[in-house]
Amino acid sequence: MDFKFKNKDEITLVLGGEAGQGIQTVEQILLWAFKMTGFNVCATKEYMSRVRGGQNSTQIRVSNQRVSAFREHTDLLVALSPGALEHLQDRVSLDTVVLGDEKVVADVALGLPFSRLAQEVGGPIFANIIAAGAVCSLFQVEADIFNQCLSAMFSRKGEEILRKDILAGEKGYQLAESWPKIVLEKDSTLSSQILLNGSEAVALGCMAGGCKFISSYPMTPSTAVQTFLAEHGSEVGLVYEQAEDEIAALNMALGASYAGAPSMVATSGSGFALMTEAVGLSGMMEIPVVIYIGMRPGPAVGLPTRTAQEDLNLALYSGPGEFARAIFAPGQLEDAYQLSQRAFHLADKYQIPVFILSDQYLADLNCNLPEDGLVDVEPEKYLVETEENYQRYQLTPDGISPRGVPGYGRGLVVVDADEHDQEGHITEDLELRTRMVEKRYHKLRMLRDEALAPVLYGEDDCEVLLVGWGSTYHPLEEARRELDRDDVGVLHFQQLYPMHPDTDKYLEGKKTLIYENNIQGQLANLLKLEAGVDIQKRVLKYNGMPFSVEEVLRSVREVV
């Protein structure tokens, strides 16, 4: 048996199998085992919307450097189901080493007795742990580290289950005992880093931003944010409420926010579509709320477990009437943490709805991260203690009324979904109506003044700009580094709306290519509308998969 890999600094490992075969369990064990050994890791997954069957896969990049992008190339494939090879054939080359059970991939792969050994342990369910043990032996992960990971994963299931899993792991190590080993440079400092995915980064950022209430209806891929906050929210005094539907969810959040609790909802595109009337309620009543949308392909239910960037327009134009809002789109785990805090800060400061647009790719992206990579935003408080003559919608020079909440002070806090006067009572005074519309809408000027500028990676005088937003950051930036050309840069947008006043200056005079996971080029259209910029080439992908580094490289090489 011989393993030869071209890249000596990194191995791309893919696990393929059916839903229910424990692919995600093995992914988590391997991620922790590799990181504790001293390797950088990054995992991305694609899976079907079903509990059993179908073909799913997880890609784990094990590297000397921090990596976070999806790649087409596969160095080592572990096939745990008969259909895995066919499902992943486009990512397998003559250089790929394929491992699989001897009964399912014997004709074309390196067949191994995973199933037979699993029966000796106690049943076919242990085949994936045997495979994981063999892979860890191949990467020279110490058996003690592997067993620690098994204990962390299975100890809650009882001593007998854990004993059998450890026995299965030992059989995997014995199976690979005579194999030549993969040699990658280790960094012992990585073992203490945190392992985080995009959903956890958003949830932690919301907690750090002061969130005290979330009401939501479960919907992939936003559910992971909900479950994390439901499980850990009590540690910071946060209350989670599973609403009966999305319409109720946003209205509950607005009610909590009216009472003074920084609030949010987490949903996906078709779930958010049901919330849009309540977005207008937030705008009219000037009640702050944070809305997290985990984007997936639509319309309607679409592809529930795949990725997309199709809901920018939905967030931008949702809700009746005209009022201010802000939209963020994190690209990295660090962004997800910090922008989530900033979303609460801006919502509270301007009393508006603020959106966090993420997607399935970033939600499920799992990477190691230095603990100091999570930077806190200094919290600010904007609630006021009300006086007896308090006016909730007092007309002020900047349009921001002092915000009181019931029970804090002597004033009466009146809000209304109808047009209202300064005290909050219904009015049809048309002159006052005009002033109220201007008050609500003109907050955009202040939001624009403190908008985050797009981030340029590369030389200021580069000739070609690869433009992206949200999770396209990773393939664009890795492709730029791999090209290693001074004339190619990346411009990444973290804040989509309102745009930074100097947006046009970043783009003028450049040859521009924009990368979006939608069919229209929604950000390209917004750049034309808001900044007067024409993007010269749109590279659009909408099949439910993220851009790969190789795809970006091919598109750039067509123009440089």
Side-chain angles (χ1 to χ4, degrees), residues 55-369:
Q55 295 298 325
N56 303 333
S57 71
T58 286
Q59 179 184 90
I60 302 177
R61 295 177 64 184
V62 190
S63 176
N64 293 341
Q65 306 294 322
R66 281 198 67 193
V67 286
S68 302
F70 170 69
R71 296 201 71 119
E72 296 169 1
H73 175 73
T74 300
D75 292 305
L76 177 62
L77 169 63
V78 179
L80 296 175
S81 68
L85 272 177
E86 181 181 358
H87 178 65
L88 297 166
Q89 59 183 340
D90 292 342
R91 293 159 61 183
V92 175
S93 68
L94 294 175
D95 298 325
T96 303
V97 174
V98 182
L99 304 180
D101 190 272
E102 58 192 358
K103 292 182 178 178
V104 296
V105 291
D107 292 340
V108 293
L110 189 58
L112 297 167
F114 292 150
S115 297
R116 178 163 55 82
L117 293 174
Q119 288 294 343
E120 295 175 7
V121 176
I125 194 173
F126 296 101
N128 57 2
I129 301 301
I130 294 172
V135 169
C136 280
S137 174
L138 191 60
F139 280 83
Q140 303 188 74
V141 174
E142 293 180 7
D144 285 347
I145 290 177
F146 184 72
N147 288 339
Q148 287 178 42
C149 296
L150 291 180
S151 297
M153 180 67 71
F154 297 114
S155 58
R156 68 183 185 281
K157 294 189 175 182
E159 292 184 6
E160 182 60 14
I161 295 293
L162 177 59
R163 185 188 68 78
K164 289 184 176 180
D165 278 307
I166 290 176
L167 179 59
E170 289 173 352
K171 287 188 176 295
Y173 269 76
Q174 291 165 7
L175 189 64
E177 194 170 18
S178 61
W179 297 355
K181 305 304 180 188
I182 293 172
V183 179
L184 286 177
E185 185 180 341
K186 299 175 183 176
D187 180 352
S188 60
T189 63
L190 298 180
S191 63
S192 61
Q193 291 195 354
I194 56 178
L195 198 56
L196 205 65
N197 65 39
S199 298
E200 292 167 342
V202 167
L204 286 168
C206 291
M207 292 165 74
C211 179
K212 296 300 179 189
F213 182 81
I214 172 173
S215 53
S216 291
Y217 187 81
M219 191 170 187
T220 304
S222 70
T223 306
V225 169
Q226 301 177 36
T227 53
F228 186 92
L229 291 176
E231 185 175 357
H232 300 285
S234 61
E235 298 168 20
V236 294
L238 182 151
V239 173
Y240 172 83
E241 172 71 17
Q242 180 174 321
E244 63 267 35
D245 56 40
E246 285 87 352
I247 297 172
L250 186 48
N251 284 304
M252 282 184 185
L254 293 177
S257 184
Y258 165 66
S263 301
M264 68 175 293
V265 294
T267 186
S268 298
S270 56
F272 176 67
L274 296 169
M275 298 180 175
T276 54
E277 184 181 4
V279 175
L281 189 62
S282 169
M284 173 58 90
M285 297 201 300
E286 302 185 57
I287 293 181
V289 69
V290 172
I291 300 170
Y292 168 81
I293 302 177
M295 293 181 288
R296 67 189 206 189
V301 178
L303 292 173
T305 59
R306 308 290 175 165
T307 200
Q309 294 180 307
E310 299 178 358
D311 296 329
L312 169 56
N313 286 344
L314 181 63
L316 184 61
Y317 300 113
S318 58
E322 300 168 298
F323 51 92
R325 69 191 70 195
I327 303 175
F328 295 110
Q332 309 175 62
L333 300 185
E334 296 92 327
D335 299 345
Y337 180 75
Q338 290 158 22
L339 291 177
S340 298
Q341 294 178 72
R342 186 172 178 82
F344 275 90
H345 167 74
L346 283 192
D348 199 23
K349 181 176 182 179
Y350 293 104
Q351 304 169 29
I352 57 171
V354 177
F355 295 85
I356 304 169
L357 284 188
S358 185
D359 53 45
Q360 179 269 328
Y361 174 77
L362 187 65
D364 290 334
L365 177 67
N366 231 313
C367 297
N368 60 292
L369 189 70

Side-chain angles (χ1 to χ4, degrees), residues 493 499 503 507 523-533 535:
F493 284 80
M499 288 184 171
T503 296
L507 295 156
L523 181 63
N525 292 339
L526 188 60
L527 282 166
K528 175 65 175 176
L529 185 67
E530 292 290 315
V533 175
I535 297 294

